[in-house]
Amino acid sequence: MFKPLKVTPVSISFEADDQRPYYSDEVYDVYLNGELYKEKYDRNVITVFDLKPDSEYLIRLRDEEFKIKTSAVRKIINVLDEGVIRNEMILNTKAIQKLLDECDNDLLVFPKGTYYTGPLQIRSNTCLYFEKGAELLGSEKREDYPIISAYN
């Protein structure tokens, strides 16, 4: 028996109800819309990635089928279209933080490449999607991390 754990705009996670902490009691195949997604999976939790927002999917796990819909987003934002620079030497903290501050149930997409940044504050209802080959690289410079007072 599987139960949905988390649905996002780009992924869906399920958990097996077989009382084991990590590995499943049996190996199984995972199907997405009738196509083999993962073969011989042996974990209790499976996450299906790279889905489209506000879309319905048919997932088959063992002998169970689920019709499930990913979460909707207000808009999809490619960070490169909004001033973020794909370069591991250029600090993008301000540009990325501006996008995060303006997010209201949006999906921020980071295409393949390296994005160099300092600390970021992410609010609820914000979804970041890193395409295959995309990475967020934290600055190694102490001065890029200001000290924030614990008391306001």
Side-chain angles (χ1 to χ4, degrees), residues 79-80 83-93 96 110-118 133-139:
V79 297
L80 295 175
V84 175
I85 299 169
R86 190 174 21 196
N87 181 318
E88 61 187 66
M89 300 308 292
I90 297 173
L91 198 63
N92 281 289
T93 310
I96 295 172
F110 289 79
K112 181 180 179 179
T114 301
Y115 303 88
Y116 188 56
T117 185
E135 65 179 345
L136 200 59
L137 182 63
S139 170

Side-chain angles (χ1 to χ4, degrees), residues 29-32 34-40:
D29 295 336
V30 180
Y31 290 86
L32 175 65
E35 302 277 327
L36 183 63
Y37 178 80
K38 186 90 168 170
E39 189 174 23
K40 297 181 179 169

Side-chain angles (χ1 to χ4, degrees), residues 103-117:
C103 270
D104 182 20
N105 198 32
D106 298 327
L107 175 65
L108 293 183
V109 177
F110 289 79
K112 181 180 179 179
T114 301
Y115 303 88
Y116 188 56
T117 185

Side-chain angles (χ1 to χ4, degrees), residues 125-142:
N125 296 324
T126 301
C127 187
L128 306 180
Y129 178 69
F130 293 88
E131 293 181 351
K132 187 173 184 165
E135 65 179 345
L136 200 59
L137 182 63
S139 170
E140 294 179 0
K141 297 177 185 171
R142 174 63 188 100

